């Protein structure tokens, strides 16, 4: 459980940086960190539960498309996390398009890698 909470906090920092940097991402909630925290909670739950299974099932398609299908999967997971946070908690992150989600996932990957290595995750 401690590892999941630290992963959630790392994703919250990464999502905060993503929302601050990208104009195509909008935090909903008062204060906005609540929306970012709810979004990153669902991202952490998706990453821990269904993402590995879906990526394994989609491996042949990803190989055929030279990894581009993984971008589509990441976009779908970000949209799912956004939808869950907005529909369950009325706070979250609104993603304004596919390419913003791609850039957001790249920023989240880099920032979460840096923050995770700093805290020793």
């Amino acid at each position: 459980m401690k590892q999941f909470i630290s992963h959630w906090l790392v994703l919250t920092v990464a999502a905060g940086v993503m929302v601050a940097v990208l104009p195509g991402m909008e935090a909903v909630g008062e204060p906005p960190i609540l929306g970012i925290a709810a979004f990153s909670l669902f991202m952490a739950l998706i990453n821990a539960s269904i993402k590995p299974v879906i990526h394994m099932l989609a491996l042949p398609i990803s190989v055929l498309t030279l990894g581009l299908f993984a971008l589509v999967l990441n976009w779908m997971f970000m949209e799912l996390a956004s939808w869950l946070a907005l529909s369950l908690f009325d706070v979250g992150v609104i993603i304004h398009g596919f390419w913003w989600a791609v850039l957001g996932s790249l920023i989240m990957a880099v920032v979460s890698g840096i923050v995770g290595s700093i805290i020793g995750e």
Side-chain angles (χ1 to χ4, degrees), residues 5-18:
I5 292 174
S6 70
H7 185 66
W8 176 32
L9 292 175
V10 167
L11 281 178
T12 302
V13 171
V17 170
M18 174 189 71

Side-chain angles (χ1 to χ4, degrees), residues 44-66:
L45 288 171
I46 289 169
N47 286 344
S49 60
I50 64 172
K51 187 175 182 177
V53 174
I54 298 295
H55 272 285
M56 191 63 91
L57 291 173
L59 186 62
I61 298 170
S62 291
V63 168
L64 288 175
T65 62
L66 302 175

Side-chain angles (χ1 to χ4, degrees), residues 14-90:
V17 170
M18 174 189 71
V19 168
V21 169
L22 294 177
M25 301 283 183
E26 178 184 346
V28 176
E30 193 57 44
I33 191 66
L34 288 178
I36 294 169
F39 171 76
S40 61
L41 171 67
F42 286 109
M43 283 297 295
L45 288 171
I46 289 169
N47 286 344
S49 60
I50 64 172
K51 187 175 182 177
V53 174
I54 298 295
H55 272 285
M56 191 63 91
L57 291 173
L59 186 62
I61 298 170
S62 291
V63 168
L64 288 175
T65 62
L66 302 175
L68 293 177
F69 190 68
L71 295 175
V72 174
L73 289 177
N74 285 337
W75 167 66
M76 289 174 26
F77 291 139
M78 288 182 80
E79 287 288 342
L80 177 63
S82 174
W83 177 77
L84 286 169
L86 286 169
S87 63
L88 292 177
F89 299 135
D90 291 329

Side-chain angles (χ1 to χ4, degrees), residues 3 20 38 67 92 99 109 116:
Q3 184 179 9
W99 291 110

